[in-house]
Amino acid sequence: MKYLYLLSILLLAGCSIDEPQSFVFNKQQNEVQQVAAENLRAPWAIAKIEDTFYLTERAGSIVKIKNGKMERQQVVLEKELATVAEAGLLGFVLAPDFQDSKLAYAYYTYVDKVAQFNRIITLYLEDNIWYEKDLLIDQIPSGTYHHGGRLKIGPDQKLYATAGDASEASLAQNLQSLGGKILRVNLDGSIPKDNPFPNSYIYSYGHRNAQGLSWLPDATLYASEHGSAKNDEINQIQAGQNYGWPLIEGNETQQGMHSPQFTSGTETTWAPSGMDFYDGKLYVAALRGTAILAFDIEAKQYEEVVTGLGRIRDVYIEDGVLYFISNNTDGRGNPQKYDDKLYKIILSN
């Protein structure tokens, strides 16, 4: 396997980079290219339509990137955004009819007089400001850590969301709580009639802190999940099934519970986050693993394909091009000059 060492080559604001940061892209033969959009503030999710990116930042902004120009857009929320660890403005996905409706879906952590929670809302874009419009799901449990937060629209045109266990492990096995679950929602916020549990948003349960979702071409759903003491997981998700937390994790098994297809085991930590699928592989952002991991579904093995850029929060693949965001300014990384950044790598010619 040939290792190519590359340098950061583009500052989105138009300045040159004085001290470029090197990284390793592990690849055979194909052309490799890197583009950096820089000076992001703890970005969390990537959304893209045509040639325009929208990136959420945990502190409560959305960054628009188009034609090499970056604009930080204000987000007006109905509730006070929480600033505790891992919390803030998290998941974000554009509505299928965004060009006409100017609507998107977002997941954020908030505080009020009662407690701290997560909620799923729609946002409306007007004059470069995003306004909270409709509340879809409220009072998703939120604790000191483990807010979940990933949003994706599936091939069935339903909205899927990952909800963490809110640092209260028992919630993951409690079907009366939305904590520690993957949720499935109609785009208008109603409960799909074919959800596995009657009158419930819950699609699967027994999750500790899932942060990534992706579908294979045959509509098989996968999720990435943080383990408690290493034991991070990549799970194939089936409707109504129990993924074990906190009763089992990693390679452990128990009747009626699903063990992961891939696990970091007891010696390695990935802290996997956003993920996407391309050409037989799941590409997964790794935070503590400081890499992008490529999981070959058929061969049942994985490799690091990008390293040296610190914590990686989300990935997005389109037409053989891999986009990803670093997450070194989230309080847990070691920021380099101009961090955080949006990168681009060509996976195929």
Side-chain angles (χ1 to χ4, degrees):
M1 185 68 69
K2 184 178 180 181
Y3 288 82
L4 300 177
Y5 295 79
L6 297 100
L7 302 179
S8 300
I9 60 172
L10 181 64
L11 173 61
L12 191 142
C15 302
S16 62
I17 299 175
D18 297 327
E19 298 177 4
Q21 182 183 4
S22 64
F23 76 99
V24 179
F25 180 55
N26 183 0
K27 192 173 178 62
Q28 290 179 321
Q29 297 183 356
N30 289 344
E31 180 184 359
V32 180
Q33 192 173 18
Q34 178 191 355
V35 176
E38 306 186 336
N39 298 311
L40 303 170
R41 303 167 185 167
W44 211 90
I46 303 171
K48 184 177 184 291
I49 184 166
E50 296 182 349
D51 60 349
T52 303
F53 288 91
Y54 293 96
L55 313 178
T56 54
E57 295 180 315
R58 273 181 42 201
S61 299
I62 291 176
V63 175
K64 177 183 177 181
I65 302 168
K66 183 176 182 179
N67 298 328
K69 296 182 180 180
M70 183 174 85
E71 177 183 7
R72 185 165 279 109
Q73 298 176 323
Q74 181 184 359
V75 180
V76 179
L77 300 171
E78 296 294 326
K79 296 287 188 176
E80 180 185 353
L81 196 68
T83 58
V84 298
E86 301 180 7
L89 181 58
L90 305 176
F92 180 81
V93 62
L94 301 173
D97 63 349
F98 172 74
Q99 294 282 42
D100 296 320
S101 69
K102 302 303 178 186
L103 288 176
Y105 298 87
Y107 184 114
Y108 75 93
T109 315
Y110 71 91
V111 291
D112 62 17
K113 295 180 181 179
V114 178
Q116 177 178 292
F117 300 102
N118 298 295
R119 56 170 28 187
I120 300 173
I121 62 167
T122 61
L123 290 171
Y124 178 70
L125 179 62
E126 183 177 18
D127 296 330
N128 290 319
I129 299 176
W130 294 88
Y131 296 92
E132 182 170 340
K133 186 175 184 294
D134 295 318
L135 174 62
L136 303 188
I137 305 179
D138 200 6
Q139 296 193 348
I140 299 170
S142 174
T144 307
Y145 302 105
H146 305 169
H147 314 290
R150 188 64 57 191
L151 292 182
K152 288 285 186 74
I153 295 177
D156 55 3
Q157 294 303 295
K158 308 297 183 185
L159 180 66
Y160 290 74
T162 66
D165 69 3
S167 305
E168 189 175 338
S170 62
L171 293 182
Q173 292 294 319
N174 181 357
L175 291 176
Q176 303 306 309
S177 171
L178 297 181
K181 311 296 190 300
I182 292 176
L183 311 178
R184 181 174 181 258
V185 189
N186 287 324
L187 297 184
D188 64 2
S190 61
I191 297 173
K193 293 181 179 179
D194 59 346
N195 268 11
F197 302 102
N199 301 311
S200 174
Y201 291 112
I202 295 172
Y203 189 72
S204 62
Y205 65 109
H207 300 288
R208 183 173 181 267
N209 191 29
Q211 287 195 357
L213 296 169
S214 186
W215 287 263
L216 274 55
D218 65 1
T220 301
L221 174 60
Y222 279 82
S224 65
E225 183 169 340
H226 293 202
S228 62
K230 303 179 173 55
N231 288 311
D232 300 310
E233 299 180 357
I234 305 297
N235 285 293
Q236 181 182 325
I237 304 299
Q238 299 176 37
Q241 297 303 299
N242 183 352
Y243 289 82
W245 175 252
L247 304 177
I248 63 170
E249 63 176 331
N251 285 318
E252 296 174 342
T253 61
Q254 187 167 315
Q255 187 174 0
M257 300 180 184
H258 286 262
S259 299
Q261 291 210 351
F262 298 93
T263 178
S264 66
T266 59
E267 303 299 324
T268 303
T269 298
W270 299 329
S273 190
M275 58 196 298
D276 209 345
F277 180 81
Y278 176 73
D279 195 25
K281 295 179 180 179
L282 285 167
Y283 288 80
V284 181
L287 293 161
R288 290 191 63 184
T290 61
I292 294 178
L293 311 174
F295 294 86
D296 188 315
I297 301 298
E298 185 174 345
K300 295 180 171 36
Q301 60 188 22
Y302 79 95
E303 62 177 336
E304 295 182 347
V305 294
V306 173
T307 59
L309 297 176
R311 296 164 61 83
I312 309 298
R313 173 62 72 179
D314 196 17
V315 300
Y316 179 95
I317 302 175
E318 183 179 65
D319 299 329
V321 179
L322 169 65
Y323 303 91
F324 60 98
I325 45 176
S326 62
N327 206 188
N328 297 314
T329 60
D330 68 349
R332 296 179 176 178
N334 297 303
Q336 302 296 316
K337 197 169 185 178
Y338 306 120
D339 266 343
D340 276 316
K341 305 174 187 177
L342 168 69
Y343 295 92
K344 170 185 174 182
I345 287 176
I346 297 176
L347 295 175
S348 63
N349 294 324

